[in-house]
Amino acid sequence: MGVDFSALRTLINRYCAGEENWVDSRTVYIGHKEPPPGADAFIQQRFPDNRVVSSKYTFWNFIPKNMFEQFRRVANFYFLIIFLVQLIIDTPTSPVTSGLPLFFVIIVTAIKQGYEDWLRHKADKAVNQCPVSVIQRGKKIKKESFRITVGDVVFVKEDETFACDLILLSSSRDDGTCFVTTASLDGESSHKTYYAVQDTKAFRTEEEVDSIHATIECEQPQPDLYKFVGRINIYMDNEAVARPLGSENVLLRGATLKNTEFIYAVAIYTGMETKMALNYQSKSQKRSAVEKSMNSYLVVYLCILISKALINTVLKYIWQADPNKDEPWYNERTEAQRQRHILIRAFTDFLAFMVLFNYIIPVSMYVTVEMQKFLGSYFIMWDDDMYDEELGEGAVVNTSDLNEELGQVEYVFTDKTGTLTENNMEFIECCVDGHVYVPDAICNGQVLSGAAAMDMIDTSPGPGGREREELFFRALCLCHTVQVKEEETVDGIKHGIHQGKSASFYISSSPDEVALVEGMKKLGFTYLRLKDGQMEILNREDEIERFELLEVLSFDSVRRRMSVIVRAASGDIFLFCKGADSSILPRVISGKVDEVKARVEHNAVEGLRTLCVAYRPLSPEQHQEVCRLLSGAKLALQDRDKRLSEAYELVEKDLILLGATAVEDRLQEQAADTIESLHKAGMKVWVLTGDKMETAAATCYASRLFRRNTQILELTTKRVEEQNLHDVLFDLSRTVLRHHGSMTRDNCSSLSNDCTDYGLIIDGATLSAVMRPPQEDLNSGSYKEIFLEICRNCSAVLCCRMAPLQKAQIVKMIKASKEHPITLAIGDGANDVSMILEAHVGIGIMGKEGRQAVRNSDYAIPKFKHLKKMLLVHGHYYYIRISELVQYFFYKNVCFIFPQFLYQFFCGFSQQPLYDTAYLTLYNISFTSLPILVYSLMEQHINMDILKKDPSLYKDVAKNSLLRWPTFIYWTVLGVYNAIVMFFGTYFLFDNTTFTSNGQRMTTNTQMMFGNWTFGTLVFTVLVFTVTFKLVLDTHYWTWINHFVIWGSLVFFVLFSLLWGGIIWPFLNYQRMYYVFMQMLSSGPAWLSIILLITASLLPDVVKKVIWRALWPTITERIQVNAGSFHVLAFLHRFRAMKRFERAPASPCSDSLLDGVALTEA
């Protein structure tokens, strides 16, 4: 008999799965009322409460969960294994030497993460216990926010924030609308209008709302803030009336009710299922090139560690092949040791050597790097140059893990509108059947004084033309989503006040629409309001015309157009449509297409944003068919967007062209200077925009992306139609390769100015063809590789007519190319989020298209001009600092451990430690950690003003140049050399029998003082001073903090050594260090040897730098030398000025030189 597990599987999926994948929709019972008999079956679904949890840990799981996360890191797990090995077997060093640094790192990290999580718990508690008004049994009661459940009817007053995701049922306004700001969600401060369900908007009291009998069917929770699919079934006399629900009916948690007295709404998503909570989930982790280099170096050093342990193990057993050496009289083995198998003994010895040499892996480096990134990110946020007075905001760092990546950028992908331009629209002109109208001055909703007149260009239209002219003006007054504010104040700010009287003030999420409506106002047609489904406009004769708004076909980035269907007072029905010329003109069947198209192209070349306007008269039968199509699509729960798109395609056809508009979006301040600086820094800038080619190209010339001598290559639909894609690509490829001749691909893709002759323009349709996989039946090969070859030889690329997904595809394609360049994407709108997330570094602009880009970015800046300092200064500094930090950490640990390796050759490979346990433990924690941390925060190898003035300095650190393998090998070899000098210098010193504390020959009593621990202490003293002085030599920017930390660390080492060896510590079972340090310092030769060994260790590095700077200086080193010479001469000038009256006049030659310095300094 078979067993059916389907029911069990269903239950497991339903209750144990992370999401409700067992059903694709949910049913919400408003007020928790069951549907009437005969309706759908009542199935009560399980929904979470409204508790929001942003915290990561609980009281019970903090320790195990935090420990698990920390030990997932390779370095932490490695040191844990070493610590356990020290506990299990007999090792030469105490478990404290590995355990103390490890647990210090673990505890500090745990305290930091625990404190941050406690703050999150505190914030969650405040939010979850906030009181909310809920309607129950016709009465209003107060509930704590976390007790709200799906189906509760909520009462919200003005200026209150929504506690969960709601469907609007009714409001205090007669038309059932309410105004909402979503600043906490997407940063848009403008008022958005939301609509109540038509059948429930009249219910405005608790009793009336409680009498609503309805259910809501909607999709399961998903994070898209701007998408919602559902329908409401309202039961009247046991008959269900279905109405569609969309994003215009949904009030999201975190949004705030504005300029509406109150609303009633029903909860549909609660707690962690709200869209806000779903959007707070973490994004994919980005890793910097420096972190990848660190991991590669770690693998190399791990191999070195294993090699050292293996070599010593083998040599130990070769050494012990002689019985006399294997088992001397003073260290005879026990019987158990003799009977152990040689492989077990060898493996145990191998682990012991691993423990002895394990300090070559710097566990504290990861903590120092994290601290450097976290603290260093505040320098961006504290930078006054990146603060915008207009916005009242400065730069924001959303992740500090990518600071150094800002200094490695090779490709910059930027949006155009709102990023390069201000997104502050000014209405310039409109064209109706070839007649051009230009109002005096209208700017983004602000009517300027003295702008009452209208200028006419060309001849005025005839009688028939005037009718079409007025139809065009009416179309623009009706085809929009602008809201009219007639109040004197909006959120306490006075708007639209003229001569003390209240006037209309337009608000919209789109600056284009406000500019167009204001433009029509100056041309004689004023949009007044939308009231009770009637759109009112004031015509030139000051008569109010009313149009019934029947349908709104919303704008989307795929269609690139929007439409409205209205009924005039005469009963005529019109569809008015406006959109990009590429989406309107193909659907036009009549009108003066050539004249309008010529004007559109003319305006596009001038850099203006253009829209075409068309209309279509609808008969009652056609209107009925349109309603049927749209209603069926809107009520669909599955594939609603697809069905709506198909319906829009059927409706928006057979259009009659009326004319076109032109608005100007001015270039942002210093945008051109910023792009020019990025070019000089060796970066390739790509503009990815949805605008038409002519408009975008004009902006590119204005912003100096394209120069006058730039040869433009076009890869557009128009050219592909004349030639096939294969031929066009190969023609362009031959063109660029012929120019570069023998130049290789790597040379062209390098950060140089050699490839600045060409600029490429490509549109979205052609890009789709290029990105399409090659067909097997064609010998076309991969177009993508040819396209990449062309792009590598172009200094700038313009991609126009791009969909948001195509922007991300472009970034991904460049990331995956052969050179794997570092990419940066910058934009200000929701359509830029995909490329911001795809790029190595994503930067959001705090613009007027909301804060979606800012929320999803790694960094946010107020204006595009701030990108210059962020990359050329902050990025440059961050990379210099962290690359030195990484190399220095590996260097100082090689210096630390290699003498221990050499010492084994002189102690019979007995695993005897060279250094005392305290020194082993504190070397990386105390003696050498703070100086490099301060260096990595404060270092400025070149003045920041010079970095801004000379962008070419950015090339000196490009391509991860300071963390390449040759540089890494040099630091490692330098560490090995220093270790050899320290060890053998001290060894030969000890071999000299005159080395005593008082200048006399050693006696039996004094010789024991100069044994193993004195030898190790002397080596360690030279080591600490050498690695610290190495950092002193590398420091170019000195502050009191550097002096305090560097010299303070050395003083601390000396004081600790005196204290550690000057007292008999009762808790230690050994006193091997007692008086060792004092005895060593009492010897004159010891002092001399310390000075000589430090000098001998550092001398080759100094000589190498001098020779390199003299023969092969980088641009950075030339500037450092010049700056040093300038400061010396400037000091001499100031010194001469102070002594002018105290000494004889200087020689004419020196006077002229110093006067020249004075002039330069002035």
Side-chain angles (χ1 to χ4, degrees):
M1 178 179 177
V3 180
D4 184 10
F5 290 102
S6 59
L8 178 61
R9 189 182 302 113
T10 301
L11 286 173
I12 292 174
N13 286 338
R14 180 169 177 173
Y15 294 108
C16 300
E19 56 186 28
E20 296 177 89
N21 52 9
W22 52 276
V23 64
D24 55 7
S25 65
R26 62 170 55 184
T27 301
V28 178
Y29 301 95
I30 297 179
H32 307 288
K33 295 177 183 176
E34 297 182 17
D40 294 337
F42 177 72
I43 304 174
Q44 185 64 53
Q45 299 180 27
R46 295 166 61 94
F47 302 115
D49 61 17
N50 199 39
R51 193 187 312 270
V52 171
V53 180
S54 63
S55 56
K56 196 174 182 180
Y57 308 106
T58 66
F59 179 80
W60 305 106
N61 72 6
F62 173 72
I63 292 178
K65 190 173 182 180
N66 186 265
M67 292 300 104
F68 172 75
E69 289 175 350
Q70 292 206 57
F71 285 116
R72 286 173 64 186
R73 301 188 71 166
V74 176
N76 289 349
F77 184 72
Y78 163 77
F79 270 87
L80 178 65
I81 296 299
I82 292 294
F83 175 67
L84 294 177
V85 167
Q86 287 179 295
L87 290 176
I88 294 170
I89 69 171
D90 183 19
T91 56
T93 57
S94 167
V96 174
T97 59
S98 292
L100 188 61
L102 174 65
F103 292 126
F104 172 78
V105 169
I106 295 297
I107 290 170
V108 168
T109 306
I111 291 173
K112 172 180 170 288
Q113 294 178 348
Y115 174 71
E116 291 173 348
D117 205 61
W118 175 76
L119 293 178
R120 286 192 286 266
H121 271 284
K122 192 175 178 182
D124 289 345
K125 186 176 180 181
V127 170
N128 291 329
Q129 293 184 351
C130 181
V132 178
S133 298
V134 177
I135 308 302
Q136 284 187 357
R137 299 185 181 88
K139 295 182 179 179
K140 196 188 306 175
I141 65 168
K142 289 285 187 181
K143 264 188 181 183
E144 291 177 311
S145 176
F146 74 92
R147 299 186 187 278
I148 295 176
T149 58
V150 171
D152 281 349
V153 178
V154 178
F155 174 81
V156 184
K157 293 188 293 186
E158 184 176 359
D159 293 326
E160 287 185 349
T161 300
F162 305 130
C164 56
D165 290 351
L166 306 164
I167 291 290
L168 180 60
L169 296 176
S170 65
S171 78
S172 59
R173 301 172 66 90
D174 294 337
D175 57 1
T177 60
C178 70
F179 296 104
V180 169
T181 58
T182 56
S184 61
L185 293 169
D186 57 19
E188 293 187 23
S189 56
S190 59
H191 291 62
K192 296 179 180 177
T193 306
Y194 290 84
Y195 301 89
V197 179
Q198 288 297 313
D199 301 79
T200 63
K201 68 179 183 180
F203 298 91
R204 297 201 183 106
T205 66
E206 288 86 348
E207 293 78 8
E208 289 174 342
V209 171
D210 192 52
S211 68
I212 295 175
H213 204 178
T215 60
I216 293 174
E217 295 174 77
C218 60
E219 62 186 358
Q220 292 291 2
Q222 50 95 2
D224 192 337
L225 296 176
Y226 308 99
K227 182 181 176 184
F228 177 78
V229 177
R231 64 170 173 249
I232 183 170
N233 301 304
I234 304 169
Y235 298 102
M236 299 178 180
D237 301 326
N238 291 335
E239 292 292 331
V241 178
R243 302 291 185 208
L245 296 174
S247 57
E248 70 276 4
N249 307 113
V250 181
L251 307 173
L252 301 180
R253 179 188 183 118
T256 305
L257 185 65
K258 291 290 184 182
N259 302 110
T260 307
E261 189 179 345
F262 64 84
I263 64 159
Y264 292 97
V266 59
I268 53 166
Y269 302 133
T270 52
M272 299 308 293
E273 291 186 342
T274 59
K275 290 181 181 287
M276 184 178 76
L278 293 174
N279 273 276
Y280 282 164
Q281 293 176 356
S282 59
K283 303 185 289 289
S284 59
Q285 188 71 22
K286 295 181 180 180
R287 294 174 59 210
S288 69
V290 170
E291 187 178 348
K292 294 173 185 175
S293 297
M294 282 170 53
N295 292 337
S296 300
Y297 297 165
L298 195 66
V299 171
V300 171
Y301 271 69
L302 193 59
C303 293
I304 293 173
L305 169 63
I306 294 172
S307 302
K308 282 184 176 181
L310 196 60
I311 290 170
N312 275 268
T313 304
V314 171
L315 292 177
K316 176 177 182 177
Y317 282 89
I318 293 175
W319 167 266
Q320 292 179 351
D322 184 348
N324 294 328
K325 295 178 180 176
D326 181 30
E327 205 173 341
W329 60 269
Y330 56 83
N331 190 23
E332 292 186 0
R333 293 181 185 172
T334 63
E335 191 63 31
Q337 289 175 327
R338 288 195 182 97
Q339 291 179 356
R340 289 176 67 190
H341 195 278
I342 188 171
L343 291 178
I344 296 176
R345 283 189 285 133
F347 181 69
T348 304
D349 286 330
F350 173 77
L351 292 178
F353 280 119
M354 286 281 288
V355 169
L356 188 63
F357 301 140
N358 81 85
Y359 300 96
I360 198 172
I361 307 294
V363 65
S364 59
M365 178 179 70
Y366 286 91
V367 180
T368 309
V369 166
E370 280 194 5
M371 291 177 66
Q372 189 269 348
K373 289 183 175 183
F374 174 72
L375 297 174
S377 64
Y378 282 95
F379 289 109
I380 290 180
M381 294 187 282
W382 290 338
D383 193 336
D384 290 337
D385 291 342
M386 301 178 72
Y387 181 84
D388 186 72
E389 296 287 348
E390 182 183 347
L391 291 174
E393 294 184 80
V396 175
V397 178
N398 293 326
T399 174
S400 59
D401 294 337
L402 303 171
N403 291 344
E404 64 278 5
E405 207 81 329
L406 294 170
Q408 295 296 295
V409 176
E410 298 172 62
Y411 281 81
V412 175
F413 299 93
T414 174
D415 179 38
K416 185 183 79 71
T417 306
T419 305
L420 292 180
T421 60
E422 293 180 349
N423 201 14
N424 190 22
M425 307 303 174
E426 179 183 355
F427 183 82
I428 301 299
E429 68 170 50
C430 61
C431 169
V432 185
D433 287 347
H435 301 286
V436 180
Y437 302 82
V438 182
D440 283 345
I442 301 142
C443 182
N444 201 31
Q446 302 300 319
V447 181
L448 305 182
S449 59
M454 177 180 72
D455 295 330
M456 296 284 295
I457 299 179
D458 299 336
T459 58
S460 298
R466 184 175 180 83
E467 182 180 338
R468 290 175 61 79
E469 168 198 305
E470 293 186 352
L471 187 60
F472 174 85
F473 294 156
R474 288 188 182 95
L476 285 177
C477 283
L478 297 171
C479 188
H480 56 74
T481 57
V482 170
Q483 297 297 321
V484 182
K485 302 296 294 181
E486 296 181 352
E487 295 86 353
E488 286 197 1
T489 59
V490 179
D491 293 343
I493 303 172
K494 292 188 176 183
H495 286 304
I497 307 301
H498 181 63
Q499 295 179 349
K501 297 180 180 179
S502 176
S504 61
F505 178 79
Y506 297 125
I507 57 173
S508 174
S509 57
S510 169
D512 296 75
E513 289 196 327
V514 173
L516 290 175
V517 174
E518 283 285 5
M520 293 307 100
K521 185 175 181 179
K522 297 310 298 176
L523 294 176
F525 280 76
T526 304
Y527 173 62
L528 297 178
R529 67 183 64 83
L530 171 64
K531 184 176 182 181
D532 297 329
Q534 298 284 331
M535 300 184 79
E536 299 179 359
I537 61 177
L538 187 68
N539 62 24
R540 287 173 178 166
E541 286 74 31
D542 288 337
E543 297 171 349
I544 295 179
E545 299 179 7
R546 290 181 175 84
F547 293 82
E548 182 183 355
L549 180 60
L550 302 175
E551 296 284 352
V552 177
L553 283 62
S554 303
F555 174 88
D556 64 65
S557 58
V558 178
R559 285 166 47 241
R560 299 184 60 78
R561 61 186 182 274
M562 75 158 290
S563 302
V564 295
I565 301 176
V566 297
R567 180 185 282 118
S570 61
D572 295 329
I573 301 174
F574 295 97
L575 178 142
F576 291 115
C577 183
K578 72 176 182 188
D581 59 324
S582 60
S583 65
I584 297 291
L585 295 180
R587 290 167 175 77
V588 168
I589 58 172
S590 67
K592 296 188 177 181
V593 177
D594 293 338
E595 292 88 338
V596 173
K597 189 174 181 181
R599 193 66 194 178
V600 166
E601 290 176 353
H602 172 269
N603 289 331
V605 171
E606 294 295 321
L608 303 178
R609 294 165 62 87
T610 59
L611 289 176
C612 288
V613 182
Y615 81 104
R616 175 190 175 191
L618 297 175
S619 66
E621 293 77 17
Q622 289 174 323
H623 177 238
Q624 290 296 326
E625 178 63 18
V626 167
C627 289
R628 186 187 64 78
L629 279 172
L630 295 178
S631 177
K634 287 179 179 179
L635 287 173
L637 287 182
Q638 301 295 326
D639 299 324
R640 177 183 289 186
D641 289 342
K642 181 181 178 183
R643 293 183 61 178
L644 276 174
S645 176
E646 292 171 352
Y648 291 162
E649 287 292 327
L650 293 173
V651 174
E652 296 169 325
K653 65 180 182 179
D654 301 334
L655 302 176
I656 302 170
L657 185 63
L658 287 172
T661 63
V663 297
E664 182 181 16
D665 187 8
R666 292 178 179 172
L667 207 64
Q668 276 197 24
E669 178 190 3
Q670 297 180 27
D673 175 65
T674 301
I675 286 185
E676 192 171 25
S677 297
L678 297 182
H679 271 305
K680 290 179 179 177
M683 290 175 242
K684 295 187 176 180
V685 182
W686 291 36
V687 174
L688 312 181
T689 179
D691 270 358
K692 62 176 62 65
M693 186 180 81
E694 295 81 7
T695 305
T699 303
C700 289
Y701 277 108
S703 61
R704 299 180 203 162
L705 184 73
F706 295 155
R707 300 178 181 86
R708 292 187 179 277
N709 61 348
T710 301
Q711 183 177 341
I712 302 300
L713 308 175
E714 289 189 13
L715 186 56
T716 59
T717 306
K718 182 179 179 181
R719 184 170 179 185
V720 171
E721 287 173 354
E722 296 170 356
Q723 296 176 267
N724 63 56
L725 180 61
H726 182 274
D727 293 341
V728 173
L729 282 171
F730 275 90
D731 283 349
L732 295 178
S733 179
R734 280 195 296 269
T735 301
V736 295
L737 291 179
R738 188 186 308 120
H739 176 268
H740 292 287
S742 60
M743 190 174 293
T744 64
R745 176 184 300 178
D746 291 338
N747 289 335
C748 286
S749 62
S750 66
L751 298 182
S752 66
N753 286 327
D754 297 329
C755 306
T756 56
D757 299 321
Y758 290 102
L760 177 68
I761 299 178
I762 183 172
D763 58 23
T766 312
L767 180 69
S768 298
V770 170
M771 301 289 285
R772 193 179 300 127
Q775 299 178 13
E776 295 181 2
D777 57 334
L778 296 178
N779 296 321
S780 60
S782 175
Y783 291 151
K784 190 187 296 185
E785 282 301 316
I786 305 171
F787 175 67
L788 277 173
E789 185 72 43
I790 297 167
C791 292
R792 289 189 189 102
N793 293 286
C794 294
S795 61
V797 177
L798 166 61
C799 302
C800 50
R801 299 296 194 192
M802 300 287 288
L805 187 58
Q806 286 181 311
K807 293 184 177 184
Q809 288 174 340
I810 282 281
V811 176
K812 188 174 183 179
M813 180 184 70
I814 296 298
K815 279 175 61 180
S817 62
K818 181 182 177 182
E819 297 81 9
H820 299 291
I822 303 300
T823 59
L824 179 146
I826 179 169
D828 71 318
N831 60 334
D832 303 316
V833 169
S834 55
M835 74 169 180
I836 284 173
L837 293 176
E838 183 63 47
H840 292 96
V841 182
I843 297 184
I845 297 283
M846 301 169 185
K848 297 183 179 180
E849 293 188 22
R851 295 296 173 94
Q852 301 96 314
V854 171
R855 287 191 299 108
N856 288 278
S857 64
D858 304 306
Y859 303 88
I861 54 178
K863 295 289 175 60
F864 183 78
K865 66 179 181 180
H866 298 131
L867 183 65
K868 178 179 177 180
K869 187 172 185 182
M870 177 169 271
L871 297 183
L872 302 186
V873 178
H874 290 291
H876 196 124
Y877 281 158
Y878 284 137
Y879 179 74
I880 288 287
R881 293 163 180 169
I882 201 166
S883 58
E884 175 88 9
L885 185 152
V886 171
Q887 299 281 27
Y888 179 80
F889 252 99
F890 283 109
Y891 155 78
K892 71 186 183 72
N893 277 32
V894 169
C895 294
F896 181 40
I897 288 303
F898 201 73
Q900 180 74 72
F901 172 74
L902 296 174
Y903 185 59
Q904 296 306 303
F905 289 85
F906 296 87
C907 67
F909 307 100
S910 61
Q911 299 148 13
Q912 169 66 35
L914 177 62
Y915 311 118
D916 181 62
T917 300
Y919 289 155
L920 286 169
T921 305
L922 297 178
Y923 176 74
N924 276 320
I925 292 179
S926 300
F927 299 148
T928 60
S929 59
L930 276 181
I932 184 60
L933 175 60
V934 171
Y935 173 94
S936 65
L937 291 172
M938 311 292 292
E939 173 65 0
Q940 295 181 20
H941 62 303
I942 296 179
N943 185 278
M944 65 174 63
D945 292 329
I946 297 176
L947 288 177
K948 284 193 288 187
K949 290 176 183 176
D950 189 358
S952 62
L953 292 170
Y954 194 85
K955 298 177 186 177
D956 275 1
V957 298
K959 299 270 188 189
N960 204 14
S961 60
L962 300 183
L963 287 175
R964 289 177 182 166
W965 287 106
T967 310
F968 167 72
I969 292 170
Y970 169 76
W971 278 86
T972 303
V973 170
L974 181 64
V976 171
Y977 165 77
N978 288 352
I980 291 173
V981 169
M982 296 170 200
F983 181 83
F984 285 107
T986 306
Y987 174 79
F988 289 124
L989 182 67
F990 265 68
D991 199 39
N992 187 345
T993 56
T994 62
F995 176 50
T996 63
S997 60
N998 53 13
Q1000 298 179 2
R1001 296 181 65 82
M1002 287 187 181
T1003 64
T1004 304
N1005 293 331
T1006 61
Q1007 190 171 356
M1008 61 186 298
M1009 296 300 297
F1010 290 92
N1012 173 64
W1013 300 115
T1014 307
F1015 178 76
T1017 301
L1018 185 56
V1019 172
F1020 191 81
T1021 302
V1022 175
L1023 165 68
V1024 171
F1025 277 81
T1026 299
V1027 298
T1028 304
F1029 286 154
K1030 164 63 177 166
L1031 193 62
V1032 169
L1033 293 174
D1034 287 350
T1035 302
H1036 299 90
Y1037 185 73
W1038 286 92
T1039 65
W1040 67 267
I1041 301 176
N1042 296 78
H1043 286 289
F1044 176 78
V1045 169
I1046 287 176
W1047 312 123
S1049 294
L1050 295 177
V1051 170
F1052 173 74
F1053 162 70
V1054 173
L1055 293 178
F1056 173 84
S1057 298
L1058 291 171
L1059 185 65
W1060 183 244
I1063 298 175
I1064 297 178
W1065 298 94
F1067 57 84
L1068 294 178
N1069 56 5
Y1070 64 87
Q1071 303 294 334
R1072 60 195 181 202
M1073 293 300 293
Y1074 179 67
Y1075 215 63
V1076 168
F1077 194 73
M1078 282 80 78
Q1079 184 75 11
M1080 182 190 76
L1081 294 184
S1082 65
S1083 168
W1087 282 90
L1088 180 62
S1089 64
I1090 290 173
I1091 296 171
L1092 289 176
L1093 292 177
I1094 292 173
T1095 305
S1097 297
L1098 295 177
L1099 188 61
D1101 186 49
V1102 175
V1103 171
K1104 179 256 180 188
K1105 286 184 177 179
V1106 171
I1107 294 174
W1108 248 251
R1109 287 187 179 224
L1111 300 179
W1112 307 285
T1114 62
I1115 302 174
T1116 301
E1117 289 168 345
R1118 286 197 191 101
I1119 289 177
Q1120 287 173 341
V1121 170
N1122 293 338
S1125 303
F1126 173 80
H1127 289 309
V1128 169
L1129 292 175
F1131 171 77
L1132 291 174
H1133 167 73
R1134 286 191 290 268
F1135 180 77
R1136 189 197 68 174
M1138 288 187 294
K1139 300 295 184 180
R1140 185 180 298 276
F1141 300 107
E1142 300 178 11
R1143 62 178 176 85
S1147 66
C1149 179
S1150 62
D1151 275 354
S1152 62
L1153 174 64
L1154 293 174
D1155 287 339
V1157 174
L1159 289 172
T1160 307
E1161 196 175 24

